Amino acid sequence: MLFIGAVRHSIVYLKKSKMNWSAVNCGGLSKNYITGRMREAMYGNFGTVLFVNLNSRRIESENFAPNIYRDYLGGYGLAVKMLYERMPAGVDPLGPDNILGFTTGTLVGTPAPSGLRFTVSAKSPLTGTWGDSNCGGYFGPALRSAGLDGIFIRGSSEQPVYLFIDDGRAELRDAGHLWGKDTTETEDLLKQELGHDVQVACIGPAGEQLSMIAAIIHDKGRAAGRSGLGAVMGSKKLKAVVVRGSQEVPMADKGRAKELRRKWVKALLAKPSAQKFRKYGTIDHVASSTFSNDAPVRNWVGVGVRDFPQAELISDDRILAYEVKKYACWQCPLACSGYYTVREGPYAVQNAHKPEYETCGMFGPNLLNDDIESIIKINDICNRAGVDTISAGATIGFAIECFEKGLIRAEDLDGIEPTWGNHAAIMQLTERLCFRQGKAGELLADGTRAAANKIGHGSEKWAVHVGGQELPAHDPRYGPGWGTYYVVDATPGRHTQGGQNSYENGKGIEGLALPKLQKYRPENRGEVAVRTHNIFHALHSLGLCRQVLLRMNINAWLEFLEAVTGEAYTLELLEKIGARIGAMRQAFNLREGIPVTKITIPARAYTDPLDGGPLQGVVLDIETQIKEYYEYQGWEPETGRPTRSRLKELGLEALIRDLY
Amino acid sequence: MLFIGAVRHSIVYLKKSKMNWSAVNCGGLSKNYITGRMREAMYGNFGTVLFVNLNSRRIESENFAPNIYRDYLGGYGLAVKMLYERMPAGVDPLGPDNILGFTTGTLVGTPAPSGLRFTVSAKSPLTGTWGDSNCGGYFGPALRSAGLDGIFIRGSSEQPVYLFIDDGRAELRDAGHLWGKDTTETEDLLKQELGHDVQVACIGPAGEQLSMIAAIIHDKGRAAGRSGLGAVMGSKKLKAVVVRGSQEVPMADKGRAKELRRKWVKALLAKPSAQKFRKYGTIDHVASSTFSNDAPVRNWVGVGVRDFPQAELISDDRILAYEVKKYACWQCPLACSGYYTVREGPYAVQNAHKPEYETCGMFGPNLLNDDIESIIKINDICNRAGVDTISAGATIGFAIECFEKGLIRAEDLDGIEPTWGNHAAIMQLTERLCFRQGKAGELLADGTRAAANKIGHGSEKWAVHVGGQELPAHDPRYGPGWGTYYVVDATPGRHTQGGQNSYENGKGIEGLALPKLQKYRPENRGEVAVRTHNIFHALHSLGLCRQVLLRMNINAWLEFLEAVTGEAYTLELLEKIGARIGAMRQAFNLREGIPVTKITIPARAYTDPLDGGPLQGVVLDIETQIKEYYEYQGWEPETGRPTRSRLKELGLEALIRDLY
């Protein structure tokens, strides 16, 4: 282990020592204390973690032993280690005892392509399970450049505050003037106050009002959208976390890391799939995913080629036509996003963020809405309010179906009469949902499960969520692998886990040789399902972007890790780290009493076949997939518990007492 | 059995007696003899069968015992009974000993909706197996109105002849003046000679030149296309069969049959699927089938949504725009076809027949050809030459791929340089294929297998045929049920068998309750695969159109059968009849020495997954489907032989000696 070596570490130490944390007063409210507990000298490129208590307004810094980073890397790996150990089971997700983590990752702020994401973690108010969500932009690198690997926030403030991290200093500041502002206004005001070189992650009115599908928004349009974590921020009266970071992230061998970047970016950009992604980003397949019915159509019972043949109107070049400027996350070679302007008409908007595939899917085919301008505008409304567009689109679809079937009436929706494809009504309803306005807002602001509970009359069966979280625009009948992760991942209903689908599709992750899967055979998938899930847990925890991960040779990350940390990693080691992270997330849910083996996918996305199109008649046997997943993972299929021996193997002996 | 009842039959007998056959001279060639062997009085609505020997020019009529019709119904049921019993194994399909049958069916010429089809049967030159193909239009009812249930032709003529059936008379006539004419010219000349009230089934230059993918064409554009039966006609120098029939088909209870028609046509036309079919016919899904990849794209390795997004240009209303007049087969309530005119440009054509889905699929997405006018023109060229458009489109696709890969060059193709989507080159190549012109014609006129044999160099793997017959535009990775029938049916590679797909799609045949299938589960499909295969053997043998069969309640046919024959039928009885027909077709192939259990689907339509689109990664386990099929059918999975007990159960004891 090179961590313990002398020369390099002393150099790192010297660099890092410049970033020691100092106590600062909290502007106008009360004292904040930062108590540096320098338990060990800093190693490798790892830095400091802040613990903020909003009850006591105390801010402490802590430097972990290197084995913490070695065993959990960063991202939700580091977060699950902290939250599992430092938070009791059974806390109210919207109460003061929930811990909200902002973490980066080992490769964030380094030359590793897409090493830029930050992850927000907490117990999810939407699902009651482990919750995490990650986000691009500039916030993650800024946090690292401020010398921090993560921030964990507990307690709740009586008055609105924001946390300001300023290159080695941290303070809580009054946010009374920001409360009620949307995320764009908030960011503009904060930059006016603090300078334009700060990065902001904040909530909008949705998070303030504890909407369970509230997101955390950075850079006015990058979202940590899922798991309802915006509501956790809102419950703490924490309007924003603002960071200025100007230090260089320490690296074992910076020259080597830069050299590797040149090599791997060249390899990446030589790939047609990367070139296409660079042009379109995720919107290149709105139409094709509608025609394949990977995207839900008409709240999951429609058939794209039959019911929404006009999908091309909201895909590819039809969206790109509104791009006025490209947007790249911090140093990302793919630069998949952009600023979008609709010049006139009811959906006019200036420099809005580009809607992603998920947004187009959930507000397009899912609602039979072929008006791309309305989707650009709706995306901006959701970003401003701070709402997850996946859950919002799903909820609107659910509402339209309930309206169509007479379970809710116009008078329940403030006079709005939503019908499939009626984009004017869809936008009106989305605005109310986002800002919890009127009867419609109250009914819909917390997502489909809450809405179905209010509406009753069997409407639950049209509410397409898993464990409370709305499904994204990926049908498990199209990609059976989605189905496994929708159920087994600690954040139910998530589509950004594992890599099973790529092995179904006959390609796989470059450099990770695993058996080819037969797309509709539920058997013999355990190995691929588990091993890709685990290795992606590790890769996500490094702070990398999934879109780059899926297009790069996996061995690249080993090279970057060595250059950055000075330590040799192997794929086997990453897999084991990922298995540890996964087991701990699972243990988190088990300790919470979540009936993990009872989580199911709604029938209309699973066992009720579509009546036309390419998926006509397809139903799945996800039980078999899940059973095999559990078996290969070393988790008991009956209870979902990691076995004692598996826990020991992963160095998680401490969890045995909790689970057995 | 009402057949034996007295009163009704004597009435029928009196009617039928008007149609006794009389000997006629063969115009200018030599004597024909018709020797009526009235072994029994005619029963029910069954009539006479003609046996024509082109060697001796002798024509005999025969009236079968009623149990023959009761056990085999008509269509390919009656044909397999005749050919199995009256033709030895091992004959050259293009030699004089092959028997070519034209049969109708119990409900042909009656008020039963779509009771209008005729079936052509023979040993197939394309596959060496049992061959049959059926066709709509007006020929089938005309044959029955001439008092005939079928015609079986053996031998071969030295000079071109045609067979003229004229309401109770039959003769062979010189066809020297027709030889070399295309099917449109032939029909026009024959109608000039014989009157415009005759119906013509003839071959064009392709059949004359023994092209193994030659079709038999009726009404200038209705085709008995598959199995290469046009070449069998050509080998016999039989240019045409011409029929004038003006008698009413006898029925047990004509009033009841008419009443039933009113009832069932009303029920049929009330269905949205029937209304849509009435408007579009089979072309309503060219685009959707391309996007689902049911249709092959770029010779079975392309992805519709990626490689041929312009499929909508050759689908639905884009085709319908060229319709100048609707065309309905004899008394068909769905009237799915039409006459098509391209007014100008390189593909100008007047009153051509509407291209069907298969034609559009094989010449559209399969070749990346988005020029609908070229497809209308090509369809007309194939009809005039008398070529199966499925096999032709497949062969052109194979040729383009061989050209692309450098296995054939422009000089092998008379200077033509065919590339994907190059419709001008595609049409040039199709013309040469159709008329066996030049090097290209010689190379391609006999279909993909023959072309691959000539080209060599491993090109066979791009030749997408099963047992020699090109696959239609239905990908078994899209509909796994196709895969079973492509292999187990006696005519390999056929898409018009069984009804497994409808149970995959969660709908099933109305009135036929069978277990719902899980689309991509190869297990537990045996019952549905076998029972629908069997019952459709019976329904096809009644002379009904598949497009109506798929849209009607199956019990309708029992009611029509009772009204027409005076006999009570049950679904169980139809299933048993179908099982008998299927076993006899299978026995035909086994007796020919066909390695029935060795027939396979090419990898690129089966085990090689597509690399994108909705079928990305899908591979199948058709072996399991086939094994279960054999087991449920009572056929030995190892040899394909119907077991002794199964043969006994079906009253086919006589076959045991041949097979065991």
Side-chain angles (χ1 to χ4, degrees):
Chain A
M1 298 288 283
L2 285 179
F3 276 121
I4 310 302
V7 178
R8 181 177 293 127
H9 294 147
S10 62
I11 296 168
V12 170
Y13 180 79
L14 290 173
K15 279 186 182 165
K16 295 289 276 199
S17 65
K18 286 189 284 183
M19 291 196 273
N20 275 342
W21 286 83
S22 54
V24 205
N25 288 332
C26 175
L29 280 168
S30 68
K31 289 266 177 198
N32 290 290
Y33 299 95
I34 298 186
T35 310
R37 283 190 287 171
M38 302 289 283
R39 292 193 303 196
E40 301 190 45
M42 282 164 286
Y43 294 107
N45 81 326
F46 300 119
T48 301
V49 172
L50 285 194
F51 288 88
V52 179
N53 188 322
L54 294 175
N55 293 337
S56 63
R57 297 182 186 282
R58 199 175 174 84
I59 300 176
E60 298 182 359
S61 73
E62 192 169 337
N63 293 294
F64 298 129
N67 71 295
I68 299 288
Y69 295 108
R70 213 183 293 135
D71 291 351
Y72 296 93
L73 301 172
Y76 59 69
L78 183 61
V80 74
K81 169 77 171 163
M82 291 300 113
L83 268 66
Y84 188 87
E85 291 181 352
R86 303 191 182 195
M87 186 167 110
V91 304
D92 175 1
L94 298 180
D97 294 334
N98 199 1
I99 298 180
L100 181 71
F102 289 79
T103 48
T104 59
T106 318
L107 295 179
V108 172
T110 76
S114 84
L116 64 90
R117 294 184 82 79
F118 70 103
T119 301
V120 189
S121 304
K123 180 170 171 181
S124 163
L126 184 61
T127 60
T129 64
W130 173 259
D132 64 49
S133 196
N134 66 74
C135 179
Y138 296 80
F139 185 88
L143 208 54
R144 280 213 107 191
S145 295
L148 291 179
D149 292 323
I151 310 167
F152 293 94
I153 301 158
R154 91 162 73 209
S156 64
S157 177
E158 281 181 23
Q159 302 299 324
V161 290
Y162 70 89
L163 175 66
F164 179 36
I165 310 284
D166 190 7
D167 253 347
R169 301 184 315 142
E171 58 182 313
L172 288 166
R173 291 194 176 189
D174 179 23
H177 60 304
L178 303 172
W179 206 250
K181 303 290 190 212
D182 72 31
T183 62
T184 295
E185 295 163 340
T186 301
E187 186 149 339
D188 285 341
L189 286 167
L190 284 166
K191 287 187 169 172
Q192 280 170 29
E193 277 174 47
L194 307 171
H196 287 271
D197 57 344
V198 299
Q199 299 301 334
V200 177
C202 66
I203 54 171
E208 294 177 10
Q209 294 174 89
L210 311 184
S211 291
M212 290 204 290
I213 58 174
I216 297 168
I217 303 290
H218 158 57
D219 221 4
K220 306 180 180 177
R222 315 306 308 163
R226 309 238 67 195
S227 296
L229 301 178
V232 178
M233 258 179 101
S235 74
K236 298 188 179 307
K237 287 230 164 35
L238 179 65
K239 179 67 178 176
V241 179
V242 187
V243 188
R244 179 185 288 119
S246 58
Q247 322 280 336
E248 193 168 80
V249 174
M251 284 174 272
D253 188 343
K254 183 175 153 187
R256 171 74 178 143
K258 285 185 162 180
E259 194 180 289
L260 286 171
R261 180 181 177 88
R262 280 189 292 275
K263 164 182 155 188
W264 285 111
V265 166
K266 192 175 166 195
L268 176 65
L269 294 183
K271 294 183 184 175
S273 74
Q275 289 157 11
K276 192 174 183 194
F277 196 79
R278 201 173 145 78
K279 178 173 178 193
Y280 290 108
T282 58
I283 59 159
D284 75 308
H285 59 86
V286 181
S288 62
S289 291
T290 302
F291 296 147
S292 72
N293 256 109
D294 187 27
V297 177
R298 197 159 49 80
N299 198 26
W300 298 82
V301 295
V303 172
V305 288
R306 181 190 68 200
D307 301 329
F308 196 61
Q310 67 269 44
E312 288 177 354
L313 299 178
I314 58 163
S315 190
D316 307 79
D317 295 306
R318 303 283 192 140
I319 306 186
L320 218 54
Y322 294 89
E323 189 165 291
V324 289
K325 189 163 176 270
K326 268 195 98 56
Y327 174 101
C329 294
W330 185 80
Q331 296 190 4
C332 179
L334 290 185
C336 68
S337 195
Y339 290 106
Y340 277 57
T341 290
V342 177
R343 300 202 187 279
E344 54 192 7
Y347 305 122
V349 62
Q350 301 288 320
N351 296 309
H353 273 260
K354 177 183 188 178
E356 300 289 341
Y357 163 73
E358 294 294 337
T359 310
C360 295
M362 299 310 292
F363 279 95
N366 187 51
L367 309 182
L368 306 189
N369 174 17
D370 62 10
D371 188 296
I372 184 57
E373 297 188 353
S374 75
I375 294 174
I376 293 170
K377 179 68 177 174
I378 283 168
N379 187 48
D380 189 57
I381 292 170
C382 290
N383 285 338
R384 284 175 176 265
V387 159
D388 176 32
T389 56
I390 295 175
S391 290
T395 306
I396 301 293
F398 171 73
I400 296 177
E401 185 159 355
C402 288
F403 180 79
E404 180 183 54
K405 291 183 168 157
L407 292 197
I408 48 176
R409 290 158 306 172
E411 61 217 65
D412 303 316
L413 300 171
D414 312 312
I416 300 167
E417 300 191 354
T419 49
W420 302 114
N422 180 347
H423 38 88
I426 288 166
M427 190 175 75
Q428 287 180 296
L429 220 48
T430 306
E431 280 181 319
R432 281 173 169 69
L433 177 156
C434 280
F435 297 97
R436 206 183 273 273
Q437 290 167 340
K439 285 186 185 176
E442 199 51 58
L443 182 66
L444 305 175
D446 296 315
T448 56
R449 183 163 68 174
N453 285 341
K454 288 171 189 157
I455 293 168
H457 293 95
S459 60
E460 167 70 19
K461 62 180 176 293
W462 314 321
V464 185
H465 66 81
V466 174
Q469 180 150 263
E470 291 76 9
L471 282 188
H474 293 291
D475 194 314
R477 292 167 297 191
Y478 170 78
W482 303 118
T484 307
Y485 302 123
Y486 285 166
V487 172
V488 302
D489 193 72
T491 60
R494 284 286 285 281
H495 64 291
T496 50
Q497 291 295 347
Q500 199 175 166
N501 286 354
S502 65
Y503 291 86
E504 277 170 3
N505 295 342
K507 287 175 180 167
I509 308 300
E510 193 183 332
L512 184 65
L514 287 175
K516 208 160 151 180
L517 296 180
Q518 293 196 14
K519 186 165 179 178
Y520 287 107
R521 297 289 286 179
E523 305 87 3
N524 305 315
R525 306 172 73 96
E527 179 182 355
V528 174
V530 167
R531 293 186 62 193
T532 62
H533 200 190
N534 290 346
I535 206 155
F536 270 83
H537 280 328
L539 297 171
H540 294 158
S541 297
L542 294 173
L544 301 164
C545 176
R546 194 168 170 83
Q547 298 296 351
V548 173
L549 286 173
L550 293 171
R551 289 169 177 81
M552 284 265 284
N553 188 308
I554 199 165
N555 294 293
W557 313 115
L558 303 178
E559 297 182 11
F560 280 110
L561 271 169
E562 181 161 10
V564 165
T565 68
E567 185 175 6
Y569 280 80
T570 62
L571 291 179
E572 292 66 35
L573 180 58
L574 289 184
E575 259 187 79
K576 190 173 179 185
I577 293 169
R580 182 180 301 119
I581 294 168
M584 206 147 190
R585 287 162 105 236
Q586 179 81 345
F588 181 96
N589 282 354
L590 289 163
R591 200 179 55 168
E592 293 288 341
I594 305 293
V596 293
T597 57
K598 299 284 184 293
I599 291 173
T600 55
I601 298 175
R604 61 165 55 181
Y606 174 26
T607 49
D608 290 351
L610 292 175
D611 66 353
L615 300 183
Q616 188 176 33
V618 172
V619 294
L620 299 176
D621 176 7
I622 291 175
E623 288 85 353
T624 299
Q625 294 179 200
I626 292 169
K627 184 169 168 290
E628 284 197 3
Y629 176 92
Y630 276 141
E631 286 169 355
Y632 197 93
Q633 189 66 280
W635 297 358
E636 296 175 347
E638 305 74 27
T639 65
R641 290 188 300 192
T643 62
R644 286 184 178 85
S645 61
R646 181 64 162 158
L647 289 170
K648 281 181 197 158
E649 187 183 307
L650 299 172
L652 296 175
E653 291 84 352
L655 273 60
I656 294 176
R657 198 197 42 214
D658 298 337
L659 302 183
Y660 286 89
Chain B
M1 298 289 283
L2 285 177
F3 277 122
I4 309 304
V7 179
R8 179 177 296 126
H9 295 145
S10 64
I11 295 168
V12 171
Y13 180 79
L14 289 173
K15 280 186 182 165
K16 296 289 278 199
S17 64
K18 286 189 284 182
M19 292 195 275
N20 275 342
W21 286 84
S22 54
V24 208
N25 288 333
C26 174
L29 282 167
S30 68
K31 289 266 178 199
N32 291 291
Y33 300 97
I34 298 184
T35 310
R37 284 190 285 168
M38 302 289 281
R39 292 192 302 194
E40 301 189 45
M42 284 164 284
Y43 293 107
N45 82 325
F46 301 118
T48 302
V49 171
L50 286 195
F51 289 89
V52 178
N53 188 322
L54 293 175
N55 293 338
S56 63
R57 300 184 183 280
R58 198 175 176 87
I59 300 175
E60 298 181 1
S61 72
E62 193 168 338
N63 293 295
F64 297 128
N67 70 296
I68 299 286
Y69 294 108
R70 212 183 295 135
D71 291 350
Y72 296 93
L73 300 173
Y76 59 69
L78 182 63
V80 74
K81 168 78 173 163
M82 292 300 112
L83 267 66
Y84 188 87
E85 291 181 352
R86 303 191 182 194
M87 186 168 111
V91 304
D92 176 0
L94 298 179
D97 293 333
N98 199 359
I99 298 180
L100 182 71
F102 289 78
T103 48
T104 59
T106 319
L107 294 179
V108 172
T110 76
S114 85
L116 63 90
R117 294 185 82 81
F118 71 101
T119 301
V120 189
S121 305
K123 181 173 174 180
S124 163
L126 184 61
T127 60
T129 65
W130 172 260
D132 64 49
S133 197
N134 65 75
C135 180
Y138 296 80
F139 186 89
L143 208 53
R144 280 213 107 189
S145 294
L148 291 181
D149 292 321
I151 310 166
F152 293 94
I153 302 157
R154 88 160 76 209
S156 63
S157 178
E158 282 182 24
Q159 302 300 323
V161 291
Y162 70 91
L163 175 65
F164 180 35
I165 310 285
D166 191 6
D167 252 347
R169 302 183 316 143
E171 60 183 312
L172 288 166
R173 291 192 174 189
D174 180 22
H177 60 304
L178 301 173
W179 206 249
K181 302 290 187 212
D182 73 32
T183 62
T184 296
E185 295 164 339
T186 301
E187 185 149 341
D188 284 340
L189 286 166
L190 284 166
K191 285 186 168 173
Q192 280 171 28
E193 278 175 47
L194 308 170
H196 287 270
D197 57 346
V198 298
Q199 300 301 334
V200 176
C202 66
I203 55 171
E208 293 176 10
Q209 293 171 90
L210 310 184
S211 291
M212 289 205 289
I213 58 173
I216 297 167
I217 303 289
H218 158 57
D219 220 4
K220 306 183 181 176
R222 315 305 310 162
R226 309 238 67 193
S227 298
L229 301 179
V232 178
M233 257 180 102
S235 74
K236 296 188 179 308
K237 287 232 162 43
L238 179 66
K239 179 69 177 175
V241 178
V242 187
V243 187
R244 178 185 287 118
S246 57
Q247 322 279 336
E248 191 168 83
V249 174
M251 284 174 272
D253 187 344
K254 181 176 156 187
R256 171 74 180 145
K258 285 185 164 181
E259 196 181 291
L260 285 171
R261 179 181 178 88
R262 278 189 294 273
K263 164 183 154 186
W264 285 110
V265 166
K266 192 177 165 194
L268 176 65
L269 293 183
K271 294 184 185 174
S273 74
Q275 288 157 11
K276 192 174 183 193
F277 196 80
R278 202 174 145 79
K279 178 173 178 191
Y280 290 106
T282 59
I283 59 159
D284 74 310
H285 59 87
V286 180
S288 62
S289 291
T290 301
F291 296 146
S292 72
N293 256 109
D294 185 29
V297 177
R298 196 160 49 79
N299 199 27
W300 297 81
V301 295
V303 172
V305 289
R306 181 189 68 200
D307 302 329
F308 196 60
Q310 67 270 43
E312 289 179 352
L313 299 178
I314 58 163
S315 190
D316 308 80
D317 296 305
R318 303 284 192 140
I319 307 185
L320 218 54
Y322 294 89
E323 189 166 292
V324 289
K325 190 165 176 267
K326 269 196 96 54
Y327 174 101
C329 294
W330 184 80
Q331 295 189 3
C332 179
L334 289 186
C336 69
S337 195
Y339 290 107
Y340 276 57
T341 289
V342 176
R343 297 200 190 282
E344 54 193 6
Y347 306 121
V349 61
Q350 300 288 320
N351 296 310
H353 272 259
K354 179 183 187 177
E356 299 290 343
Y357 163 73
E358 294 294 337
T359 310
C360 295
M362 299 309 293
F363 278 96
N366 187 50
L367 309 181
L368 305 189
N369 174 18
D370 63 11
D371 189 296
I372 185 58
E373 297 188 353
S374 76
I375 295 174
I376 294 169
K377 179 69 178 177
I378 282 168
N379 186 49
D380 189 59
I381 292 170
C382 289
N383 284 338
R384 284 175 176 267
V387 160
D388 176 31
T389 56
I390 295 176
S391 290
T395 306
I396 300 295
F398 171 73
I400 295 177
E401 186 159 353
C402 287
F403 180 78
E404 178 183 54
K405 291 184 169 157
L407 292 198
I408 49 176
R409 291 160 303 176
E411 61 215 67
D412 303 315
L413 300 171
D414 312 313
I416 300 167
E417 302 191 355
T419 50
W420 301 114
N422 180 347
H423 39 88
I426 288 166
M427 189 174 77
Q428 287 180 300
L429 220 49
T430 306
E431 281 180 318
R432 280 172 169 71
L433 177 156
C434 280
F435 298 98
R436 206 182 275 273
Q437 290 166 341
K439 284 186 184 175
E442 199 52 57
L443 182 65
L444 304 176
D446 297 316
T448 57
R449 182 163 70 175
N453 285 342
K454 287 171 190 157
I455 293 169
H457 295 95
S459 60
E460 167 71 18
K461 63 180 172 294
W462 313 323
V464 185
H465 66 81
V466 174
Q469 180 150 262
E470 291 76 9
L471 281 189
H474 293 290
D475 194 314
R477 292 166 298 191
Y478 170 78
W482 303 119
T484 308
Y485 303 124
Y486 285 168
V487 171
V488 302
D489 193 72
T491 60
R494 284 286 285 283
H495 64 293
T496 50
Q497 291 293 348
Q500 200 176 165
N501 286 353
S502 65
Y503 291 87
E504 280 171 1
N505 294 343
K507 287 177 180 166
I509 306 301
E510 193 184 332
L512 185 64
L514 287 175
K516 210 160 149 179
L517 297 180
Q518 295 196 14
K519 188 164 176 177
Y520 286 107
R521 298 288 288 180
E523 308 86 2
N524 304 316
R525 307 172 72 97
E527 178 182 355
V528 174
V530 166
R531 292 186 60 194
T532 62
H533 200 188
N534 289 346
I535 206 156
F536 270 84
H537 280 329
L539 297 172
H540 293 158
S541 297
L542 295 173
L544 301 165
C545 175
R546 193 167 171 84
Q547 299 295 353
V548 173
L549 286 172
L550 292 172
R551 288 167 178 83
M552 285 265 285
N553 188 307
I554 200 166
N555 295 293
W557 313 116
L558 303 179
E559 297 183 9
F560 280 111
L561 272 170
E562 180 160 11
V564 164
T565 68
E567 186 176 5
Y569 280 81
T570 62
L571 290 180
E572 293 66 37
L573 180 59
L574 289 186
E575 260 188 78
K576 190 173 179 183
I577 293 169
R580 181 180 299 120
I581 294 168
M584 207 149 189
R585 286 161 105 237
Q586 179 80 342
F588 181 96
N589 282 355
L590 289 164
R591 198 179 59 168
E592 292 288 342
I594 305 294
V596 292
T597 59
K598 300 282 184 291
I599 291 173
T600 55
I601 298 175
R604 60 165 55 182
Y606 173 27
T607 49
D608 289 352
L610 291 175
D611 66 354
L615 301 183
Q616 187 176 34
V618 172
V619 295
L620 300 176
D621 176 8
I622 292 176
E623 288 84 353
T624 298
Q625 294 179 200
I626 292 169
K627 184 168 167 289
E628 284 198 3
Y629 175 93
Y630 277 141
E631 285 168 357
Y632 197 93
Q633 190 65 281
W635 297 358
E636 296 175 347
E638 304 74 29
T639 65
R641 289 189 299 191
T643 61
R644 287 183 177 84
S645 61
R646 182 65 163 158
L647 290 169
K648 279 179 197 159
E649 187 183 306
L650 299 172
L652 297 175
E653 291 85 351
L655 272 61
I656 294 175
R657 197 196 45 213
D658 298 337
L659 303 184
Y660 286 88

